[in-house]
């Protein structure tokens, strides 16, 4: 797997690409793309980084692994392409935004517009087999994305971390709550959304924090 990633992220993460675990991960991913149906398409594996350069980073949202059904995954967590039906978690995210800040549910689930404003939409695992959730878990992606979160935590402050569900909260635990805004809630999936995601007001709270730090708020 040739690593094609935004230049400023590459400069930060280059040491990871030289480690033995990453070589094993790359070989596994190459074989999977050659023999299985894998999402997202190869050119979109690192798309979250390409759409949100490190120097523009303001918000981190952590997902688990890509959508595993046809036409859904586009390299940004929770996001789908234009014209694709919203998966339930994304529908719930849009509903909370509407309830929180009053904007209507958008016509498209493509979250490029967030990424381009400085929202890193990072899945912990960056690839998946079709129809097999978590099929690429435990192969090394988690180590790589832990390094991403660590790099952010060590080099940035004043970042909003939106950590939904226990998995994201564990992964984001390295972030210093005294130097950043840590927003925690249950996952927006239908199984948990009524246990504290609806009503969390993370989107208005994120913007209030960004404004307090002299940054432009996100147009959610």
């Amino acid at each position: 797997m040739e690593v094609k990633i935004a230049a400023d992220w590459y400069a930060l993460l280059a040491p990871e690409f030289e480690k033995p675990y990453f070589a094993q991960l790359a070989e596994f991913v190459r074989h999977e793309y050659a023999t299985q149906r894998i999402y997202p398409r190869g050119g979109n594996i690192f798309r979250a980084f390409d759409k949100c350069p490190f120097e523009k980073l303001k918000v981190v949202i952590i997902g688990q692994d890509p959508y595993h059904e046809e036409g859904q995954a586009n390299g940004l967590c929770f996001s789908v392409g234009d014209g694709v039906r919203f998966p339930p978690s994304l529908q719930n995210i849009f509903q909370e935004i509407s309830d929180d800040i009053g904007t209507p549910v958008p016509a498209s689930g493509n979250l490029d517009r967030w990424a381009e404003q400085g929202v890193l939409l990072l899945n912990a695992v960056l690839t998946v087999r079709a129809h097999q959730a978590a099929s690429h878990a435990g192969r090394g992606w988690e180590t790589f994305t832990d390094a991403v979160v660590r790099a952010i935590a060590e080099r940035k402050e004043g970042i909003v971390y939106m950590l939904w569900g226990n998995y994201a909260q564990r992964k984001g635990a390295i972030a210093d709550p005294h130097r950043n805004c840590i927003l925690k809630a249950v996952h927006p999936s239908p199984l948990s959304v009524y246990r504290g995601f609806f009503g969390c007001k993370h989107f208005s709270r994120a913007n209030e924090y960004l404004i307090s730090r002299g940054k432009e708020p996100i147009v959610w």
Side-chain angles (χ1 to χ4, degrees), residues 38-119:
I38 305 300
Y39 302 129
R41 65 179 179 83
N44 284 344
I45 293 174
F46 295 105
R47 192 162 175 270
F49 303 94
D50 298 333
K51 286 291 180 181
C52 179
F54 184 77
E55 51 109 3
K56 288 183 61 176
L57 179 66
K58 295 190 286 192
V59 179
V60 176
I61 298 178
I62 298 176
Q64 200 152 350
D65 68 340
Y67 295 126
H68 54 267
E69 299 300 334
E70 178 70 32
Q72 292 184 318
N74 70 358
L76 310 181
C77 74
F78 295 108
S79 177
V80 294
D82 295 329
V84 177
R85 183 177 180 180
F86 300 164
S89 292
L90 182 58
Q91 178 66 49
N92 290 334
I93 289 168
F94 286 151
Q95 185 60 56
E96 173 57 21
I97 292 170
S98 181
D99 293 344
D100 182 13
I101 61 178
T103 56
V105 173
S108 173
N110 188 335
L111 302 182
D112 284 11
R113 60 188 183 274
W114 294 4
E116 290 162 359
Q117 297 177 78
V119 181

Side-chain angles (χ1 to χ4, degrees), residues 14 32-33 41 62 81 83 126 172 186 196 199 206 209:
E32 286 287 285
Y33 273 91
R41 65 179 179 83
I62 298 176
L126 300 187
V186 298
Y209 179 80

Side-chain angles (χ1 to χ4, degrees), residues 128-148:
V128 69
R129 279 190 187 184
H131 318 304
Q132 298 182 44
S135 49
H136 285 185
R139 294 289 187 163
W141 278 129
E142 296 93 338
T143 303
F144 173 70
T145 52
D146 279 347
V148 173

